[in-house]
Amino acid sequence: MLDKVQPLRMLDQDPKTIPLDQIDVSQAELYEHDAQWGFFERLRKEDPIHFFDHHEYGRTWAVSRFDDIAYVEKNHEIFSSEPTITIADPPPDIPFQSFIQRDPPEHDSQRAAVQPVVAPMNLAKLEALIRQRVGVILDGLPVGETFNWVDEVSINLTTQMLATLFDFPFEERHKLTYWSDATTGAPDVSGGDFITIEERNKALAECGEYFVRLWHERANGPPGNDLISMLAHSEKTRDMINKPMEYLGNILLLIIGGNDTTRNSLTGGVLALNQFPGEYDKLRKDLSLIPSMVSEIIRWQTPILGMTRRTKQDTELFGKQIKKGDKVVMWYISGNRDEDVIKGDPNKFIIDRESVRHHLSFGFGIHRCMGNRLAEMQIRVAWEEIMKRFRQVEVVGPEVRAPSNIIRGYRELPVQVHPL
Amino acid sequence: MTKVTFVEANGTEHDVDARNNRSLMQAAVQNGVPGIDADCGGQCLCATCHVILDEQWYSKLGTPDADEEQMLAPTPERSPTSRLSCQIQVTDELEGIKVILPEFQM
Ligand code: HEM
Ligand code: FES
């Protein structure tokens, strides 16, 4: 096979003048430098279903408009989530499977089994505990010092929330975050640099052993409210342990789903309010805007850049001929800035935006985020508690972002907190 | 215009004059009835416009199609007479319909 030509480095290109057919929005460093906007603006206008034959990923289509993304979501019989939902093909040595990467009917039945864990009645039970843990973290912040919001608040908080969800041994909770980062941060999955492939494989093996042990502990104990106990005791899922790869895949899905996304929303909100101080004023005057602000944070941040589908049969997509096997990437990050749908300047952060919930960050259709209410609750509670304590969380230095073509995330956000 | 009554989970009733040939979801949203989020804007892609009908109205309207059924299936308060309100057109025939809202949306 002939070696394919490496694409141009997008960071060195001017999005206004680069020939259309050279645009490659799958480069992880684009997002590390928040340099994607111009390329997507151009694509939405000039080539909304954009073809690129990638030396590593193969034939890919970038879908950049809101409504076109919704169309792909809807037509899941043609645009499949199997074998996976990343642009990169699944690494051959990861045996875990979960319903995010299955089509119906397996998707539907597995999701139905796990869904009760995030049922609203369960969330109500969790809220008080989460609020209390948020309070402890915020009360411990060093007033008058510069610190990294990502480590001290966002990661700390999401890790505790995950531990709560699984009733995971609290002193070992950092393992959850590590396993999540290990799964999404390796070069072969997301173009990331968090971890090497060997380290990743070791981490996943450890994660597997750990959760199998927890299952047996919970199965032999009385039923509890945590996720593993619910799976081990519910009639529908009680035998899941006999398919360990399915069990672990679904556990890992919940860890990852609830980790990066919420973490980066918690950081993104601080950044957004600092970039739009008028909105911060609005919030201080009217705390009842918090739920609406939560949706706007999730839109503005778009914690998952995009999800990929693989085409099951030759088809046409708004005039473009898509071939069987082609990858179709739904770039939520672009659709969420589509001026035809998000009215009133989509690039602005507006906490009382009209139709604020109408965004793509949770996806649409049968794979729409299962944890959306949990995520919203966590971010809402965090802001309710922040506003009780601080007049301002002030950003005092540049943010550092992570390279990835899946997750739009931060590594550092230097801040100081100013008490009321 | 067609008279529609939305009933919140706590029993609060909202009588609205719904425009014909729009969806029940739109009738609720445009009249400020709380409890319908309609995140996807009416495309049968989010299931946050879930409502419950009584049996008579349910059978009068016909069963949900396959797409709607698939989105309805995981909703937390799914009942045998559940529908997605964005998939129901308001017509004269709906005069007087009672539409019950679940406590939570997906
Ligand atoms: C702001 C936070 C979050 C964002 C932006 C987000 C985003 C998404 C997106 C875009 C999808 C669709 C995937 C696809 O279509 O291929 C998804 C699916 C999923 N999310 Fe989330 N998520 C968030 C929080 C959470 C949390 C807290 C959980 C934990 C329970 C979670 C669990 C899941 C699961 C299990 C799926 C798979 C659903 C399926 O395939 O049917 N998410 N999420
Ligand atoms: S509004 Fe989204 S399914 Fe009805």
Side-chain angles (χ1 to χ4, degrees):
Chain A
M1 208 170 82
L2 277 176
D3 270 350
K4 286 197 197 155
V5 189
Q6 290 259 351
L8 295 173
R9 186 176 186 225
M10 287 304 111
L11 277 184
D12 299 334
Q13 309 298 316
D14 178 351
K16 292 209 171 73
T17 54
I18 180 178
L20 261 186
D21 62 358
Q22 302 284 311
I23 294 183
D24 169 23
V25 285
S26 71
Q27 296 178 15
E29 62 179 9
L30 262 184
Y31 306 96
E32 182 183 4
H33 297 274
D34 209 29
Q36 68 283 359
W37 304 116
F39 295 99
F40 280 120
E41 225 167 89
R42 178 102 183 271
L43 290 183
R44 283 198 303 275
K45 279 204 193 89
E46 295 177 31
D47 196 22
I49 312 283
H50 171 68
F51 181 71
F52 194 79
D53 197 357
H54 193 275
H55 67 296
E56 196 183 328
Y57 301 138
R59 291 172 52 91
T60 61
W61 298 87
V63 183
S64 52
R65 287 186 183 163
F66 192 112
D67 289 340
D68 298 354
I69 291 171
Y71 179 89
V72 174
E73 299 269 26
K74 183 157 201 119
N75 289 280
H76 56 84
E77 299 91 353
I78 297 175
F79 302 109
S80 163
S81 291
E82 297 186 5
T84 193
I85 38 70
T86 51
I87 311 176
D89 289 323
D93 43 1
I94 290 193
F96 301 139
Q97 272 280 340
S98 68
F99 57 87
I100 201 171
Q101 55 195 80
R102 301 304 303 274
D103 293 333
E106 292 81 10
H107 164 270
D108 300 5
S109 57
Q110 289 187 24
R111 176 167 171 152
V114 185
Q115 181 104 29
V117 172
V118 290
M121 355 302 166
N122 268 351
L123 296 189
K125 280 186 223 150
L126 282 175
E127 182 167 332
L129 190 53
I130 286 176
R131 187 178 297 281
Q132 183 205 329
R133 290 183 164 168
V134 172
V136 172
I137 290 174
L138 295 177
D139 288 335
L141 292 176
V143 174
E145 281 174 37
T146 298
F147 64 89
N148 181 6
W149 182 264
V150 176
D151 286 336
E152 298 307 319
V153 181
S154 306
I155 293 184
N156 199 357
L157 207 66
T158 28
T159 307
Q160 294 200 14
M161 296 194 248
L162 272 180
T164 312
L165 212 60
F166 290 109
D167 194 12
F168 195 85
F170 204 65
E171 49 311 330
E172 295 206 283
R173 63 187 185 276
H174 63 273
K175 287 195 165 145
L176 292 168
T177 318
Y178 177 68
W179 293 329
S180 172
D181 289 341
T183 311
T184 54
D188 56 348
V189 171
S190 63
D193 62 357
F194 176 77
I195 194 174
T196 65
I197 295 174
E198 294 74 43
E199 286 169 331
R200 187 265 318 281
N201 292 350
K202 214 174 123 220
L204 290 186
E206 189 203 359
C207 171
E209 273 172 39
Y210 205 111
F211 273 102
V212 168
R213 196 172 76 235
L214 282 185
W215 174 289
H216 290 299
E217 278 173 27
R218 303 283 153 85
N220 294 328
N225 281 329
D226 70 278
L227 191 119
I228 303 169
S229 179
M230 284 179 66
L231 289 177
H233 288 274
S234 131
E235 206 165 308
K236 266 193 193 154
T237 48
R238 164 185 324 156
D239 297 325
M240 199 185 262
I241 195 69
N242 299 333
K243 293 187 209 148
M245 291 311 148
E246 184 180 316
Y247 164 57
L248 294 171
N250 287 334
I251 291 284
L252 220 43
L253 172 58
L254 289 165
I255 298 178
I256 297 167
N259 182 32
D260 285 300
T261 50
T262 317
R263 175 203 302 178
N264 292 314
S265 302
L266 288 167
T267 306
V270 171
L271 189 61
L273 285 169
N274 276 264
Q275 286 182 7
F276 296 87
E279 298 302 298
Y280 216 153
D281 287 337
K282 232 190 241 173
L283 173 66
R284 283 186 203 101
K285 282 193 200 107
D286 185 359
L287 295 181
S288 74
L289 290 175
I290 289 176
S292 158
M293 177 178 80
V294 168
S295 291
E296 179 67 349
I297 289 173
I298 294 169
R299 179 195 71 89
W300 189 82
Q301 177 60 29
T302 315
I304 295 192
L305 292 162
M307 286 283 173
T308 300
R309 301 293 186 246
R310 281 152 174 84
T311 315
K312 285 211 323 212
Q313 64 196 62
D314 291 0
T315 188
E316 201 187 288
L317 194 55
F318 305 105
K320 301 285 178 119
Q321 299 302 318
I322 318 284
K323 287 213 178 84
K324 182 176 171 178
D326 286 2
K327 295 172 183 173
V328 175
V329 189
M330 306 177 286
W331 289 102
Y332 303 139
I333 184 72
S334 172
N336 272 342
R337 303 285 173 114
D338 183 340
E339 38 287 282
D340 289 339
V341 175
I342 310 293
K343 301 290 178 199
D345 198 344
N347 292 318
K348 287 210 173 107
F349 175 74
I350 304 176
I351 65 172
D352 52 356
R353 182 181 282 286
E354 201 183 310
S355 304
V356 72
R357 301 185 57 87
H358 190 46
H359 62 67
L360 289 164
S361 296
F362 290 126
F364 278 137
I366 59 167
H367 289 282
R368 181 174 161 81
C369 180
M370 193 183 91
N372 64 338
R373 298 289 169 180
L374 174 60
E376 288 172 351
M377 183 264 273
Q378 294 179 5
I379 303 166
R380 171 176 57 77
V381 168
W383 278 101
E384 284 167 359
E385 296 304 309
I386 293 169
M387 294 308 288
K388 275 185 203 160
R389 290 166 174 81
F390 305 118
R391 174 170 45 84
Q392 191 189 7
V393 181
E394 185 191 2
V395 175
V396 295
E399 76 275 16
V400 178
R401 293 169 188 268
S404 169
N405 57 25
I406 304 173
I407 286 156
R408 183 156 180 251
Y410 306 92
R411 288 191 172 152
E412 282 172 37
L413 186 69
V415 301
Q416 288 188 9
V417 289
H418 305 294
L420 287 178
Chain B
M1 291 286 187
T2 300
K3 201 159 215 57
V4 175
T5 305
F6 291 96
V7 189
E8 288 183 63
N10 66 13
T12 311
E13 297 202 355
H14 303 262
D15 292 325
V16 311
D17 288 320
R19 283 215 201 158
N20 283 5
N21 304 318
R22 301 265 183 104
S23 70
L24 263 187
M25 176 277 278
Q26 285 170 308
V29 171
Q30 278 154 11
N31 288 285
V33 177
I36 298 232
D37 291 327
D39 291 3
C40 78
Q43 303 186 65
C44 198
L45 288 171
C46 72
T48 66
C49 64
H50 176 208
V51 297
I52 297 156
L53 305 176
D54 69 27
E55 235 159 76
Q56 268 177 332
W57 280 110
Y58 183 82
S59 34
K60 196 163 171 183
L61 285 171
T63 44
D65 67 16
D67 284 349
E68 185 180 340
E69 179 52 43
Q70 205 163 23
M71 288 307 296
L72 262 176
T75 52
E77 293 160 75
R78 174 75 202 268
S79 100
T81 56
S82 286
R83 291 293 308 265
L84 294 179
S85 58
C86 70
Q87 300 303 302
I88 300 173
Q89 287 285 310
V90 176
T91 60
D92 288 340
E93 287 189 13
L94 265 59
E95 181 68 27
I97 190 172
K98 242 193 185 142
V99 180
I100 296 159
L101 303 174
E103 190 174 357
F104 302 101
Q105 292 290 352
M106 274 271 280

